[in-house]
Each structure stands twice: as structure tokens, then as C-alpha cells.
Amino acid sequence: MRLILLGPPGAGKGTQAQRLVQKHGIVQLSTGEMLRAAVAAGTPIGLQAKDIMASGALVPDEIVIGIISDRLDQPDMKKGFILDGFPRTVPQAAALDELLKKKHMKLDAVIELRVNESALLNRVETRVAEMRARGEEVRIDDTPEVLSKRLASYRALTEPLIHYYSERRKLLTVDGMMTIEHVTREINRILAAIGAVEPKGTRKPARKTAPAKRAAAARNPKKAVKAVRGAGKSASTAAKKPAKAQARAAKARGSVTAQKSVKKVMKKRAKR
């Protein structure tokens, strides 16, 4: 299973990604974590990224794609992955498509968590007000003002991906305003519908056809002999049943005849 989760900040992508990871045993790929891991490992691409990150500049797309490429070659990728935080732009999406094509990998779906931005802002405002009322410290990046900027950035850079993946028939939309449980169930339902995961329930075993029975007999000769003997006994018993019935009928007829003969003799004696 290879997925991308799309949606604005606060849509619940991280929560749903973790649930998919736990349920299906796939890997969540975060570009930020991959960059830090590559830098720590001292890989050639990691060393390039290190200097750029140290200067405070954005890491170019080709370096990010290179790090993703190295990560996709790892053994734990066999079951699949969820990309988190990438792609963010249409050029990144096109570069990712090219990378997957080279690796003979297929993207199963892009799941968009569609939410109401006004509702997201209201949630943040309520959460911040409650935290302040309890005397808790509010993170500087967890305020309505910061969220508004992040939403504007999402609309300008990332929202065009919805059209990009829709044209390629990869986009599946889920109502992100539902409860967490409902969103999880809906995601799993549509993944089962497109064949990305096995649907719930097991299929009943199909009845064996005649060729299948012969093949099974060839694999187990002893069972085949028993089956033949059983069939022979059944046929023999079936054949014996009519013969026995005929014998009983003949015996009954003979008994009746004998009774008539005795009656005739008794009548003759009575006349004398």
C-alpha cells in the first residue's frame, strides 16, 4: 500500500497516518525526519542537505527526491508507505511520479481530508483560550494567526495537487470534519474498495470441481482407494436391494400358493 495524505494544517493527517501504520504495518515517511537521518548518517545527499540546512535555506526538490529514493530502497518498504509532508507542490508531485516509475512502484491513492477552514480556526481559538484559562503556556506556532498564514500557504502551493491527482484518477476525498473514528473507518473502507487492502471477512472455500478432486486423489492415493472401495460398496448394496425385494416377493407368492393348496385338500376331505 502506497499512499499520500493531503489536507490543510489541522486536518488530522498525522493522526490518520499513525492509525494506518498501526493497522497495516506500513511506514510513515516524513521528509523532515528523512533529511535529519540522512545528515546524521553522513550520506552523500545528507552532506549536501546539511550545508543548505545550516544556512537556513530551503532544501531543493532534487535533494529531497534523492533522499526519498534512498529511503524507498530500504527493506522495510516492502509493505508500503505513507508520505507525510511531501509532495507540497505540483513540480514535487511530478518528480515523485517519475521516481516511482523508475522504481517500478505504483501509487495506490491520494487521500484528501477535506475540512472547513473556519471550523479549524475556531478549534484553535477555543483550544488556546482554554489553555490560557488553565494557566498553560501556548506554543507560538499554535495560534489562530499562525494557522491563518499556514492555511494561506496551503491554498497557494499545495491545494493545486488536488486537481493534479484528480486528473490522474488517484484522488479519494474523505470528510475530515467527522469524528476521528469515522474518518478512520471511511479511509479503510475506500482502501478496501480500490483493492489496496484486504476487505473484512474471509471467503468461504469453493467446492472442489471434478478436476480438483482428481488432482487431490493423485496427491493422496490412499484416500482415492478408500473412495473407490466406498463407491463399490455403495453400488453393490444398491444392486442387492432389488434382488432381496424380489426374493421376498417370490417367497410371499409361494406362501399364498401353499395356503390355497391346503384349503383345497381340506375341502375334498370334508366332502367324503
Side-chain angles (χ1 to χ4, degrees):
M1 183 197 309
R2 303 181 186 100
L3 304 174
I4 292 173
L5 291 182
L6 276 183
K13 299 187 298 297
T15 299
Q16 296 303 326
Q18 280 301 310
R19 290 186 164 216
L20 288 166
V21 167
Q22 292 170 7
K23 183 176 178 64
H24 302 291
I26 55 180
V27 179
Q28 182 179 1
L29 297 180
S30 166
T31 50
E33 289 179 4
M34 285 188 286
L35 279 168
R36 288 188 289 272
V39 170
T43 64
I45 293 180
L47 293 174
Q48 293 180 46
K50 182 179 180 180
D51 295 333
I52 296 170
M53 292 167 71
S55 67
L58 291 174
V59 178
D61 289 350
E62 57 268 22
I63 290 181
V64 177
I65 284 289
I67 288 173
I68 293 174
S69 178
D70 290 346
R71 186 67 182 88
L72 292 180
D73 292 334
Q74 299 302 311
D76 60 348
M77 292 290 103
K78 288 182 180 179
K79 286 188 176 181
F81 59 82
I82 300 175
L83 269 170
D84 175 20
F86 192 91
R88 291 182 184 274
T89 64
V90 170
Q92 287 178 353
L96 178 63
D97 284 347
E98 189 63 28
L99 173 65
L100 294 176
K101 185 177 178 181
K102 287 179 181 178
K103 290 186 177 293
H104 305 288
M105 292 181 173
K106 175 176 167 282
L107 188 65
D108 290 304
V110 177
I111 299 175
E112 177 205 3
L113 298 182
R114 187 165 292 179
V115 295
N116 183 294
E117 290 188 6
S118 297
L120 289 182
L121 288 168
N122 288 335
R123 285 180 186 176
V124 173
E125 289 175 354
T126 301
R127 184 170 66 249
V128 169
E130 290 174 349
M131 291 176 69
R132 285 174 176 162
R134 292 192 298 266
E136 298 175 4
E137 186 178 352
V138 179
R139 290 185 341 193
I140 59 173
D141 62 340
D142 191 20
T143 62
E145 294 76 21
V146 172
L147 179 58
S148 294
K149 291 179 181 178
R150 293 176 67 193
L151 289 172
S153 176
Y154 174 81
R155 285 193 299 271
L157 297 174
T158 308
E159 205 168 63
L161 288 176
I162 294 172
H163 178 67
Y164 177 87
Y165 284 118
S166 179
E167 281 190 329
R168 286 153 181 77
R169 298 184 179 180
K170 293 291 182 183
L171 188 73
L172 300 168
T173 301
V174 174
D175 180 6
M177 300 306 294
M178 297 188 293
T179 65
I180 292 173
E181 292 296 334
H182 277 86
V183 173
T184 299
R185 282 199 293 270
E186 182 63 12
I187 289 174
N188 282 298
R189 185 191 68 79
I190 61 177
L191 289 178
I194 64 172
V197 295
E198 286 293 327
K200 287 184 177 179
T202 55
R203 294 180 181 177
K204 294 181 179 179
R207 292 183 178 180
K208 288 185 178 179
T209 59
K213 288 180 180 178
R214 288 195 293 270
R219 289 193 297 270
N220 198 331
K222 288 184 179 179
K223 285 187 178 180
V225 171
K226 286 182 181 179
V228 172
R229 286 178 179 171
K233 287 180 181 179
S234 298
S236 175
T237 303
K240 287 178 181 177
K241 283 183 179 178
K244 287 181 179 179
Q246 289 174 7
R248 284 196 297 270
K251 186 176 181 180
R253 286 195 299 272
S255 176
V256 171
T257 303
Q259 287 176 5
K260 287 181 179 179
S261 299
V262 169
K263 286 180 180 180
K264 283 181 181 181
V265 171
M266 294 299 289
K267 284 180 179 180
K268 287 180 180 180
R269 286 181 179 179
K271 287 179 180 180
R272 289 177 186 174

